[in-house]
Amino acid sequence: QVQLVESGGGLVQPGGSLRLSCTASGSIYNLNAMGWYRQVPGQERELVAVITSNGRTNYADSAKGRFTISRDNAKNTVYLQMNSLKPEDTAVYYCNAEVIQDVIMYDYWGQGTQVTVSS
């Protein structure tokens, strides 16, 4: 009922920037927190940044000072501005959204977008 579509990934050189976007569509009654996670093959998926419906944000230590998460509630879209990218930022980035449908909380994931930082 809810789909998440990410965009904005790609190949960049160290020190470069990317802006990821994720738009939720479908049966959205109450879009709660949205966030970005990333995963490297063989490793666990880790939180990069999260933003609540009220705009409260939280970042992984590795992202602080370099990444900025924001959202446009009217568009059901969350963004991740990534600056000063490092090779260790290379991963598949997944959009996550918590959606309250009636009184039930659902957790949705996008298909992921590849971010590769390499010279």
Side-chain angles (χ1 to χ4, degrees):
Q1 289 186 324
V2 176
Q3 296 81 41
L4 301 177
V5 179
E6 303 107 330
S7 64
L11 295 168
V12 296
Q13 295 184 347
S17 299
L18 284 175
R19 179 178 169 85
L20 306 183
S21 299
C22 173
T23 299
S25 62
S27 300
I28 302 175
Y29 300 97
N30 190 357
L31 184 60
N32 202 18
M34 300 185 75
W36 290 95
Y37 293 71
R38 65 187 181 190
Q39 187 170 25
V40 177
Q43 300 183 15
E44 296 182 350
R45 188 171 300 184
E46 64 176 1
L47 172 70
V48 177
V50 64
I51 184 169
T52 69
S53 60
N54 294 324
R56 181 178 61 85
T57 61
N58 190 37
Y59 297 89
D61 288 340
S62 61
K64 292 179 180 178
R66 299 188 298 125
F67 295 0
T68 301
I69 189 171
S70 61
R71 65 189 292 167
D72 186 335
N73 290 332
K75 297 181 179 180
N76 297 135
T77 299
V78 62
Y79 307 93
L80 184 67
Q81 179 66 46
M82 303 186 293
N83 299 323
S84 302
L85 284 163
K86 305 174 181 179
E88 51 262 44
D89 295 318
T90 297
V92 177
Y93 284 70
Y94 295 91
C95 178
N96 171 264
E98 296 177 345
V99 180
I100 301 175
Q101 299 174 336
D102 292 332
V103 296
I104 302 175
M105 177 75 77
Y106 295 88
D107 195 37
Y108 293 94
W109 293 91
Q111 293 300 306
T113 183
Q114 177 70 48
V115 172
T116 302
V117 185
S118 179
S119 60

